[in-house]
Amino acid sequence: MADSFFEKPILNSPYGYPGRHWELDDDGQPTNRIIDTRRHSELITPVPQSKKGKKSSRAGQGDLLTEADGQEYVLKPIVNRIRAEVDVWRRLPSESQWRVTPHTARLLRHWREHQFNDVRPFFCQVEAAETAIWLAEVASRERPAHFALNHLQDANGDANPELFRIALKLATGAGKTTVMAMLIAWQTINAVRMPGSNRFSRSFLIVAPGITIRDRLRVLLPNDPENYYRTRELVPQDMLDDVLKAKIVVTNYHAFKHRVTTDVARGTQKAIEGRDGKMALLETDGQMLRRVMPELMHDKAIVVINDEAHHCYRERPLSAEEKLKGDEKKEADENNAAARLWISGLEAIRRHRGMGIRTVYDLSATPFFLRGSGYREGTLFPWTVSDFSLVDAIESGIVKLPRVPIADNIPGGDMPQYRNLWDTIGKKMPKKGLLKGGKPVDSHSIPIQLQTALEALYGHYEKVFDLWEDNDIGVPPVFIVVCNNTTTSKLVHDYISGFFRHHDDESRTFEQGRLKLFRNYDDNGERLARPRTLLIDSAQLESGEALDRNFREIATDEIDRFRDDIVQRTGDRNAADNITDQDLLREVMNTVGKKGRLGESIRCVVSVSMLTEGWDANTVTHILGVRAFGTQLLCEQVVGRGLRRQSYDVDPDTGLFDAEYADILGIPFDFTAQPVVAPPKPPKKTTNIRAVRPERDHLEIRFPRVRGYRVDLPPEKLVPKFTAESKLVLTPDLVGATKTVNSGLIGEKAQLSVEHLRDTRPSSIVYNLTHHLLLHKYRDAGGDAKLHLFGQLKRIARVWIDQCLECKGGTFPAQLMYREIADMAACRIADAVTAQMLDQRPVRAILDPFNPAGSTMHVNFNSSSDKLWPTNLDKSHVNYVVWDSTWEEQFCRVAEQHPRVMAYVKNQGLGLEVPYRYGSGQRTYIPDFVVRIDDGRGADDPLNLVVEISGYPKGDKAEKVSTMNTYWVPGVNNLGSHGRWAFAEFTEVFEIDDAFDRLIEGFVRESAAA
């Protein structure tokens, strides 16, 4: 097979529609052929039984498979049909066609179009949120979309009769936590701004499968210093206060277990316990809920978000053929017990008086039924509505490419030995618990194949480690070993990092770790204060024994930082001062790969089951599996620990991410790769861009948040003022190809063109344009067209066509009859009419009713750009300008040197947005700078100048300039409540000094004349 897939596996931008994919053969291997369509979701899912006796849930989903128990399964889930509907809905050009609330529309535009300072949401994240929004706000209103809701009702009626669940499937590393934050923001903002609506909620219960994930999800709490709403800019700045009103409880499902309680009289307790005293008193459902979620006890519209939701299901009875034995039965029993506890907790909320659940959103990379669940193992939850698979994520560059063995030098065999290492060593490994009694097992006696596998993978790790050192990454790459039990993990940990061998005479000898970079001891047997290899399992988390007593002393700075984080999150100083070793160990684990944090020195993690999910370090480069992997589900979960990218910088030449890799041994994952060391990309230094407070608060600049414009037209004659911005040039780039050659294999060619439009009568063109103007630009307060203006508008339209319309490249004036072109023409004509009447004050800006003003006070974001201009402490409230071009850099110099400039700021992270129309669509323009100028009226009455530094002219440049001059500036000035404003555009970099001087002098003269 050719090498294209392995050399350049990434086909799609992570931020755009995944319109290309690699073809895979019947074995799931790439054929090296690119298909120019999106990959279909082809996963087996149970078919729900319709409660109405219909089979609508199965329609159009593919071939059916029927099990012996009568349960039917379908190959192509309903995901594809829902995806197609969401695709059509997403492409609708006008917000009015979306059929969502204005606040939802604002969030959608923000996620799709906002210029993020750091990593913007991936397409798959936005698509998952869009799917949830479409189901909640659109599907119920569109009869053709009812199939989706009917399917969900049937699917939940079969499997979750007391709950309405919606599953969103995103590959590991695709950012499920970001999607959770988007769902919370969407629900909360709508609930706050539409308190009378019963479609939204601001009460959330987030359930995780363990402590690791629970701690990670604290970024969903609006008051957390690292909350995603602010740090990842998922919410427009003026909506952040709304998100603060959300009530959010984050817990792990273990909290649903009823605990022993003594909340009864002693005599009653003794009577219930009896003579032997063995009967324990357990909490009631109400007591359990008050302990877990006291803030939500009286909420009837709770939204539940399940993270790693494949742990939450109600199992069915197993058939005789499905009965399991031995370890398989034990694992299935444990999985089912966990799933039963999780879903029972949710059902308890649903049943408890005064409480209720509106919707349950399940997020998982693998929302599949587990072995022993009563469903076919690995089949998709039937309430899954979106799917972005691991292969999709690889083709978009969102995750690393996993590389597994494809050949070795052992003759014979169906697969390389290290592809499924456990088949070779499983029977040679000690059983769990052997260390607890009798003679301990020697760590050096682990099977030789395991030792060789460790050495082989470690040898490759050394090369990567050296590369990271050479590139000054700042933290080491991470090597993970996932074991089957605590005994194995202890043996592997000691073999890797070193240990003391105890003898019968109570003496001991030191044994150095076999893998040099992972050693926890120096050559004298002294334990390193900051360990390089970490052992994680339940016993270690409870005891904290993996931490040396000197660790706290050496890591004082990092521990103090963690204490500060606790205080900031909880306000509890005692909890921070009395931090336990267990909490420290968890913090070490959660901060592996993070510079300046407790886990920064960790190079190797040896684990039992903690790393099957939830751990999201992005520095993992190597994984070794030392356990059985019965399903691809478990394989993907473990491999997923190594798939989070280390760098999210886009290649400016291709618009794609560079490929990153994770090397895997011992995990029979169905994906191939080749043994190549990928050079790492050093992370870019980040700089905090912020308002310098309180030292520079006197340089604060405030601005209005404009959401639209109102134009009051006088009843008298309309007179246009056509300018260069009024011109419209029709070209094939704008309207589409006007000349095309069609050809078959043989025969004559056909010349296709729009030449026939030349014959359209000019009067028809003028009439249609006038009619469009009247309907879309000139209506009265009641919404009726001002018919008395038809004659005037007709004359104006004719003049505009004669003076301002230019047709090139085989285009014709008749194409003004296209709706979008007519919108462009109508906007230009209406702007010209409004411009002529500015002295009559006809324009008023419409401000955001929830947050009418913004300020430099709130600027606070991180930037990885090295294009920084340190601002003069007497000229700007903000410490740096992140300049996008040398022109902007030059403007900073000019602004700071001019004596009339009182203050200035770059409009980045500031929130100054200008709404404008382009064709039939509404857009948002973000100017470059705001400059406060003393134009002779003194410091109490400055002129606020909005500045645009223009490079090459873009298609909508005229609309932006016209909107500023015709609507925004006069509209704000006419309000009289936000100071005086002006707009200027600089188009010549070498003329900025003189042009700025002339502009200021002009303002001073105008002020003196006034």
Side-chain angles (χ1 to χ4, degrees):
M1 187 177 67
D3 294 334
S4 298
F5 175 80
F6 300 105
E7 293 174 356
K8 297 181 179 179
I10 299 173
L11 299 177
N12 304 304
S13 166
Y15 308 116
Y17 185 83
R20 308 171 76 204
H21 71 272
W22 291 101
E23 183 185 63
L24 302 180
D25 62 22
D26 293 339
D27 296 323
Q29 304 305 310
T31 65
N32 214 41
R33 180 187 173 204
I34 296 175
I35 308 298
D36 289 322
T37 60
R38 184 174 184 179
R39 183 186 304 281
H40 277 209
S41 176
E42 294 190 354
L43 296 166
I44 297 176
T45 185
V47 176
Q49 302 297 322
S50 174
K51 303 305 179 186
K52 300 180 180 179
K54 300 178 181 179
K55 297 185 178 181
S56 58
S57 296
R58 311 175 192 176
Q61 294 188 49
D63 297 332
L64 289 172
L65 305 171
T66 304
E67 296 283 78
D69 62 355
Q71 174 64 57
E72 294 179 330
Y73 295 83
V74 68
L75 177 62
K76 295 183 179 179
I78 201 168
V79 167
N80 294 311
R81 190 173 173 190
I82 293 175
R83 178 189 288 171
E85 293 289 337
V86 173
D87 286 347
V88 172
W89 171 71
R90 182 189 302 114
R91 290 193 292 266
L92 294 174
S94 172
E95 290 184 15
S96 62
Q97 297 173 287
W98 297 354
R99 307 198 74 175
V100 297
T101 71
H103 318 299
T104 300
R106 176 92 185 283
L107 285 172
L108 288 170
R109 285 211 178 276
H110 180 81
W111 296 333
R112 296 169 181 170
E113 301 174 2
H114 178 65
Q115 298 299 312
F116 289 82
N117 292 306
D118 201 356
V119 178
R120 57 183 288 196
F122 300 139
F123 171 86
C124 62
Q125 294 170 330
V126 176
E127 183 186 54
E130 286 174 336
T131 303
I133 290 169
W134 181 82
L135 287 167
E137 296 194 47
V138 181
S140 60
R141 301 184 181 185
E142 301 282 355
R143 183 174 295 275
H146 286 180
F147 75 93
L149 298 178
N150 292 338
H151 173 87
L152 288 171
Q153 292 287 356
D154 293 342
N156 284 290
D158 273 0
N160 316 289
E162 296 187 40
L163 303 170
F164 185 75
R165 299 176 68 179
I166 296 174
L168 305 171
K169 180 176 179 289
L170 288 95
T172 296
K176 293 186 292 295
T177 306
T178 295
V179 176
M180 294 181 200
M182 296 165 84
L183 294 176
I184 291 171
W186 157 59
Q187 285 275 335
T188 301
I189 290 170
N190 276 284
V192 170
R193 297 195 174 192
M194 300 174 64
S197 174
N198 61 1
R199 291 186 293 163
F200 305 102
S201 175
R202 60 186 185 93
S203 302
F204 301 88
L205 175 65
I206 303 171
V207 188
I211 294 175
T212 299
I213 301 182
R214 185 198 67 186
D215 292 346
R216 187 193 72 195
L217 295 180
R218 63 196 180 201
V219 296
L220 297 176
L221 302 176
N223 61 349
D224 189 88
E226 300 299 324
N227 77 81
Y228 275 13
Y229 315 103
R230 180 184 63 82
T231 61
R232 301 211 173 183
E233 302 175 73
L234 295 180
V235 175
Q237 194 174 66
D238 58 290
M239 289 180 161
L240 283 172
D241 286 343
D242 295 333
V243 178
L244 288 172
K245 298 175 183 176
K247 294 188 294 181
I248 302 175
V249 173
V250 182
T251 188
N252 50 306
Y253 79 87
H254 309 83
F256 291 143
K257 185 175 182 179
H258 290 69
R259 297 179 180 175
V260 176
T261 179
T262 57
D263 191 17
V264 295
R266 178 173 297 182
T268 304
Q269 180 179 351
K270 288 185 176 180
I272 294 175
E273 290 178 343
R275 289 184 178 181
D276 58 6
K278 292 181 179 179
M279 183 180 293
L281 290 172
L282 297 180
E283 294 173 314
T284 64
D285 282 351
Q287 290 172 321
M288 179 272 291
L289 294 175
R290 277 191 290 273
R291 170 175 53 80
V292 174
M293 45 193 296
E295 304 94 324
L296 307 180
M297 282 303 295
H298 302 292
D299 286 311
K300 297 182 179 180
I302 297 171
V303 172
V304 176
I305 299 178
N306 289 330
D307 193 10
E308 304 296 348
H310 52 272
H311 290 281
C312 180
Y313 57 83
R314 178 70 67 186
E315 76 270 24
R316 301 192 313 163
L318 295 178
S319 65
E321 293 79 11
E322 296 172 344
K323 296 298 183 181
L324 303 175
K325 298 179 181 179
D327 290 342
E328 289 185 349
K329 183 179 186 302
K330 183 178 180 180
E331 182 178 1
D333 289 343
E334 291 174 353
N335 289 335
N336 286 336
R340 196 179 308 122
L341 175 60
W342 191 326
I343 198 167
S344 295
L346 300 185
E347 291 169 348
I349 300 171
R350 184 75 172 81
R351 292 191 302 266
H352 191 69
R353 186 176 180 181
M355 300 181 72
I357 292 177
R358 173 163 292 159
T359 307
V360 179
Y361 290 105
D362 295 332
L363 284 94
S364 175
T366 53
F368 303 127
F369 288 107
L370 302 177
R371 177 181 301 175
S373 64
Y375 295 89
R376 177 183 286 198
E377 180 184 6
T379 55
L380 188 70
F381 286 171
W383 54 91
T384 303
V385 297
S386 71
D387 177 22
F388 199 81
S389 69
L390 177 58
V391 178
D392 295 329
I394 290 172
E395 289 167 342
S396 295
I398 292 173
V399 298
K400 297 172 184 171
L401 176 63
R403 298 186 297 212
V404 300
I406 59 172
D408 61 21
N409 57 355
I410 298 178
D414 294 331
M415 74 167 58
Q417 185 179 71
Y418 295 156
R419 184 72 172 272
N420 194 349
L421 180 62
W422 193 254
D423 281 353
T424 302
I425 68 171
K427 295 181 179 180
K428 304 175 184 178
M429 297 299 295
K431 302 296 182 181
K432 182 179 180 180
L434 188 58
L435 286 178
K436 294 182 179 179
K439 189 174 181 179
V441 177
D442 187 350
S443 294
H444 288 174
S445 68
I446 59 176
I448 190 170
Q449 295 90 345
L450 175 55
Q451 297 181 50
T452 309
L454 282 165
E455 292 288 354
L457 197 58
Y458 173 77
H460 189 269
Y461 173 89
E462 277 190 323
K463 298 176 183 177
V464 176
F465 181 90
D466 291 341
L467 281 172
W468 284 40
E469 288 273 275
D470 293 343
N471 284 273
D472 197 24
I473 299 297
V475 292
V478 175
F479 185 115
I480 294 177
V481 184
V482 179
C483 303
N484 64 322
N485 58 43
T486 53
T487 300
T488 299
S489 64
K490 178 65 173 172
L491 292 174
V492 173
H493 172 269
D494 289 352
Y495 178 87
I496 287 174
S497 63
F499 66 101
F500 283 92
R501 188 189 306 279
H502 294 269
H503 303 287
D504 293 339
D505 60 359
E506 297 186 356
S507 64
R508 66 175 190 172
T509 55
F510 172 65
E511 299 286 348
Q512 183 61 283
R514 293 296 181 89
L515 307 183
K516 184 177 181 179
L517 292 175
F518 299 156
R519 292 172 179 170
N520 282 341
Y521 299 85
D522 63 20
D523 291 337
N524 297 320
E526 295 295 324
R527 188 175 179 88
L528 301 178
R530 293 185 177 179
R532 296 170 178 171
T533 296
L534 189 66
L535 175 62
I536 292 293
D537 59 38
S538 57
Q540 290 294 317
L541 281 178
E542 292 300 324
S543 67
E545 66 175 297
L547 296 181
D548 181 71
R549 65 174 179 266
N550 295 324
F551 182 82
R552 294 175 67 97
E553 299 176 7
I554 299 296
T556 296
D557 291 341
E558 291 87 346
I559 293 173
D560 287 344
R561 179 174 180 177
F562 182 44
R563 284 200 181 108
D564 292 341
D565 285 348
I566 293 177
V567 174
Q568 198 165 359
R569 289 197 304 270
T570 67
D572 189 349
R573 168 56 67 179
N574 289 331
D577 291 340
N578 299 320
I579 187 170
T580 66
D581 284 354
Q582 296 93 315
D583 289 335
L584 274 176
L585 182 57
R586 279 193 287 268
E587 180 65 3
V588 172
M589 187 64 200
N590 290 336
T591 56
V592 169
K594 297 180 180 179
K595 194 171 184 178
R597 305 294 295 274
L598 290 174
E600 71 172 329
S601 64
I602 299 300
R603 301 174 182 177
C604 179
V605 177
V606 182
S607 165
V608 182
S609 61
M610 278 287 288
L611 298 185
T612 56
E613 61 204 0
W615 191 57
D616 61 350
N618 66 352
T619 51
V620 177
T621 55
H622 297 77
I623 303 178
L624 176 65
V626 187
R627 58 163 296 165
F629 292 87
T631 67
Q632 283 298 306
L633 169 61
L634 184 58
C635 290
E636 183 168 343
Q637 289 173 350
V638 175
V639 169
R641 298 313 102 221
L643 298 187
R644 296 184 187 275
R645 290 186 61 89
Q646 189 259 334
S647 170
Y648 288 91
D649 292 330
V650 173
D651 185 333
D653 295 328
T654 65
L656 306 177
F657 284 155
D658 291 332
E660 294 184 1
Y661 300 90
D663 291 281
I664 317 294
L665 293 186
I667 303 174
F669 186 59
D670 282 343
F671 209 88
T672 60
Q674 295 180 343
V676 178
V677 177
K681 295 181 66 175
K684 292 185 177 180
K685 177 184 175 182
T686 59
T687 304
N688 183 231
I689 314 299
R690 60 181 177 84
V692 182
R693 305 191 60 193
E695 295 85 351
R696 302 194 198 177
D697 281 356
H698 62 287
L699 300 174
E700 177 193 13
I701 295 178
R702 297 179 61 83
F703 59 91
R705 296 185 183 275
V706 177
R707 291 291 169 257
Y709 316 95
R710 185 180 72 248
V711 181
D712 300 324
L713 294 178
E716 54 266 14
K717 186 176 181 180
L718 303 180
V719 178
K721 181 181 180 182
F722 293 131
T723 64
E725 283 75 31
S726 305
K727 187 174 181 180
L728 177 62
V729 180
L730 300 185
T731 65
D733 281 341
L734 181 62
V735 305
T738 57
K739 297 180 180 179
T740 306
V741 176
N742 273 18
S743 175
L745 292 175
I746 58 174
E748 294 183 358
K749 296 179 180 179
Q751 305 290 334
L752 308 182
S753 71
V754 294
E755 189 70 24
H756 58 281
L757 295 179
R758 187 189 300 274
D759 300 329
T760 305
R761 295 172 57 188
S763 59
S764 297
I765 299 171
V766 172
Y767 177 86
N768 277 279
L769 180 55
T770 305
H771 185 258
H772 192 83
L773 267 168
L774 198 62
L775 291 181
H776 297 280
K777 295 296 182 182
Y778 294 96
R779 291 181 178 271
D780 58 26
D784 297 324
K786 298 181 178 181
L787 298 177
H788 63 282
L789 296 178
F790 188 89
Q792 294 187 64
L793 291 174
K794 185 177 180 181
R795 289 190 294 273
I796 293 171
R798 183 179 292 111
V799 172
W800 180 86
I801 291 174
D802 292 341
Q803 296 182 3
C804 300
L805 179 66
E806 184 177 354
C807 297
K808 295 181 177 180
T811 60
F812 296 95
Q815 290 173 295
L816 286 171
M817 300 170 75
Y818 298 174
R819 168 61 188 269
E820 187 167 352
I821 304 301
D823 281 330
M824 293 180 182
C827 285
R828 285 163 168 76
I829 294 172
D831 291 352
V833 172
T834 302
Q836 182 64 29
M837 299 183 295
L838 288 181
D839 58 342
Q840 302 175 38
R841 298 162 58 90
V843 180
R844 298 287 190 279
I846 301 173
L847 303 185
D848 186 331
F850 297 98
N851 194 0
S855 168
T856 52
M857 289 280 191
H858 307 302
V859 174
N860 190 341
F861 63 92
N862 292 325
S863 175
S864 60
S865 174
D866 57 358
K867 299 175 180 178
L868 300 176
W869 176 277
T871 58
N872 189 307
L873 56 86
D874 293 323
K875 289 292 186 178
S876 182
H877 196 188
V878 178
N879 58 347
Y880 287 97
V881 166
V882 184
W883 48 270
D884 298 321
S885 68
T886 55
W887 294 26
E888 291 185 356
E889 183 184 28
Q890 288 300 311
F891 181 79
C892 294
R893 176 186 59 79
V894 171
E896 292 193 353
Q897 290 178 353
H898 202 287
R900 290 277 183 180
V901 172
M902 302 168 62
Y904 81 103
V905 66
K906 173 74 183 293
N907 185 24
Q908 184 173 10
L910 182 63
L912 173 58
E913 299 177 346
V914 178
Y916 73 103
R917 293 191 66 84
Y918 182 70
S920 57
Q922 186 75 23
R923 296 187 178 184
T924 300
Y925 160 49
I926 301 177
D928 292 324
F929 291 90
V930 181
V931 185
R932 194 166 68 200
I933 297 169
D934 179 3
D935 61 347
R937 300 192 186 186
D940 294 334
D941 186 20
L943 177 67
N944 299 288
L945 178 67
V946 179
V947 173
E948 175 67 21
I949 308 296
S950 297
Y952 297 102
K954 298 180 180 178
D956 57 354
K957 176 181 176 181
E959 282 77 5
K960 293 177 180 178
V961 173
S962 177
T963 297
M964 288 299 301
N965 287 327
T966 308
Y967 295 99
W968 197 94
V969 169
V972 171
N973 286 337
N974 289 340
L975 291 177
S977 57
H978 288 78
R980 296 181 297 119
W981 291 80
F983 172 74
E985 179 187 22
F986 296 94
T987 59
E988 295 292 338
V989 62
F990 301 112
E991 299 292 330
I992 287 182
D993 290 79
D994 294 338
F996 192 70
D997 285 340
R998 290 193 300 269
L999 182 70
I1000 301 300
E1001 290 171 3
F1003 288 143
V1004 173
R1005 287 195 300 270
E1006 290 177 9
S1007 180

